[in-house]
Amino acid sequence: MDPNLLLWKPRGQSFVHRFQTWLSLLDPSLLLSSDAEILKAREALPAAGQQLDEKVPPAEILSLSSVHADSGAVLPFVFRPPAYFPVLGPLVVGGFLPHPTVGSTLVFQSMLQIYSASFSFANRNSSAEQKASLKQLLLIAGSAFNTAVGGALPHIFIIRLGVSSPTLQTFCRSFLPVPLQAALAALNVFIVRSEETETGIRVFDSEGNPVGFSKAAAEKAVRETAQSRAVLFGTTAAAPHLVAALLYRTRLLQRRPLLAGPCHYISTALVLGLMVPLSFSLFPQLGSITRGKLEAELRAEAAGEEFYFHRGL
C-alpha cells in the first residue's frame, strides 16, 4: 500500500478529522514547494506500522497534497489539491454568472469543465494503468464539451429563445442552475473515470497487502467522488442566490443596487472556498468495501472481512 494511503488509514475515519486534515492540505502556500522538496518529504514518511503523531507533520502534509497515491509521482502543479480553489474559483465565478452572449457563456463553461475533467483525471485511481490512453483523452474532451453545453443551457434558453417572462428568467437564472450544475459535475466524474469501472482498481487487505483488482470497489470509488463533486457544485450554485435574496431585502442594496453584482461574486467565492474542504471530506480517501460486495474470485483468494482502496479525488 502506498505511504500516502497508510497515512490516511488512521486519520480518515471521521468526517471532522478528515475536514481538519483537508484544511491543512489545501493551503496554497504548499504550491511553493519544489518537486525535490516534495520527494524529500515523501522519503521522510513513517514506515508501515510506525506510530503516527496526532498532529500531521509538515512532511506528511506536503506528500498528501502533492503526490499521487497510486503512481507515487508528483502531481502536475495546477492539479494538486492546494491549486484547486485558486484555479477553480475564478472559473466558477465566471461560469455561474449571467453573460450577455451565448458565446461568452460557452467560453467560461468550457474552461470550467475542462479544468474539472482534467483535475478528476489527474487525481483518479490509476492502479490498473499508469498512462493515459487515447480513449481516456477522448472521454475527457467529450465530457468537457457535453457538460459545457449543458452548463450554458439556462443562458441559451434566455438569449436564444428570447425568454422575456420575469418568472421564467428567474427560474432559468436562479433555480435551474442548481440541479443542473450538480448533475453535470457528477456526470463529468462518471465519464472521465469510467475506465476504472471497466478494469477495476486495486484493493488491499487490513495489513495493506494487495489482493487483486475489483470492479465493485471501482464503482464505489467513482460513485462517492461523483457525489462529493455534485454537492460541491450544487451548493455553490445555490447559496449565492439565497444570499442575494436576503440582501435584496436590506436597505443597503435597495439604495445601492449596483452592489448586488460584487455581493454575488464574493458570496460565490466564499461558499466555494468552504465547500471544497467539506466536499473532499465527505468520504474517506482510503475507501473500504466489505467482503460480501467483492467479486467471487477475490472472496475465494483473500482473507478478512474488510478491504481498502484508493478512492481518488
Side-chain angles (χ1 to χ4, degrees):
M1 184 180 289
D2 187 271
N4 277 7
L5 296 180
L6 290 174
L7 293 176
W8 275 114
K9 189 174 182 180
R11 294 194 171 106
Q13 300 309 309
S14 73
F15 172 81
V16 173
H17 207 161
R18 292 195 298 270
F19 181 71
Q20 293 173 340
T21 303
W22 274 116
L23 287 179
S24 300
L25 300 183
L26 293 170
D27 182 0
S29 66
L30 295 171
L31 297 172
L32 300 177
S33 302
S34 65
D35 287 5
E37 291 174 322
I38 294 171
L39 293 175
K40 183 178 179 180
R42 181 174 172 80
E43 293 173 357
L45 295 182
Q50 186 174 337
Q51 185 68 30
L52 299 177
D53 298 331
E54 285 296 323
K55 186 177 180 181
V56 186
E60 296 181 14
I61 291 176
L62 191 54
S63 178
L64 288 172
S65 67
S66 307
V67 178
H68 196 280
D70 290 320
S71 65
V74 177
L75 288 164
F77 182 82
V78 295
F79 300 133
R80 298 174 193 170
Y84 191 60
F85 175 72
V87 176
L88 189 70
L91 298 179
V92 166
V93 171
F96 283 14
L97 296 179
H99 294 271
T101 65
V102 172
S104 60
T105 301
L106 286 173
V107 168
F108 273 98
Q109 282 292 329
S110 296
M111 292 190 296
L112 171 60
Q113 299 301 340
I114 288 173
Y115 178 74
S116 296
S118 301
F119 182 88
S120 296
F121 179 75
N123 290 275
R124 73 198 185 285
N125 183 304
S126 61
S127 57
E129 44 79 28
Q130 297 297 330
K131 294 183 179 180
S133 64
L134 177 60
K135 177 183 176 181
Q136 286 176 315
L137 296 177
L138 291 175
L139 285 174
I140 294 175
S143 173
F145 174 78
N146 292 330
T147 51
V149 174
L153 281 179
H155 301 309
I156 293 176
F157 290 156
I158 294 174
I159 297 173
R160 290 298 185 188
L161 300 182
V163 175
S164 57
S165 168
T167 302
L168 287 178
Q169 286 191 1
T170 300
F171 173 78
C172 289
R173 288 174 175 166
S174 301
F175 296 99
L176 181 58
V178 177
L180 183 62
Q181 291 295 339
L184 291 174
L187 179 64
N188 195 314
V189 174
F190 276 120
I191 294 177
V192 170
R193 297 183 57 178
S194 61
E195 194 158 311
E196 294 174 38
T197 61
E198 298 174 3
T199 60
I201 60 176
R202 183 177 284 114
V203 293
F204 305 88
D205 61 21
S206 58
E207 301 298 324
N209 302 311
V211 297
F213 292 86
S214 169
K215 293 182 180 180
E219 291 173 359
K220 184 178 182 182
V222 174
R223 182 175 63 252
E224 290 179 348
T225 305
Q227 290 173 354
S228 69
R229 206 75 89 241
V231 170
L232 169 62
F233 280 86
T235 306
T236 302
H241 294 292
L242 296 176
V243 173
L246 294 175
L247 291 177
Y248 275 127
R249 299 181 180 181
T250 64
R251 292 183 179 180
L252 178 63
L253 282 189
Q254 291 175 358
R255 294 176 180 177
R256 298 178 176 83
L258 292 178
L259 292 177
C263 288
H264 197 102
Y265 306 149
I266 294 171
S267 60
T268 300
L270 290 176
V271 172
L272 178 67
L274 174 63
M275 287 308 302
V276 168
L278 275 173
S279 64
F280 284 2
S281 305
L282 288 178
F283 302 99
Q285 277 302 100
L286 183 64
S288 62
I289 185 170
T290 58
R291 182 184 184 86
K293 294 182 179 180
L294 284 178
E295 290 82 348
E297 56 272 20
L298 289 180
R299 292 200 301 268
E301 297 178 2
E305 294 300 323
E306 189 172 31
F307 300 88
Y308 300 91
F309 57 87
H310 173 218
R311 178 174 66 84
L313 194 60

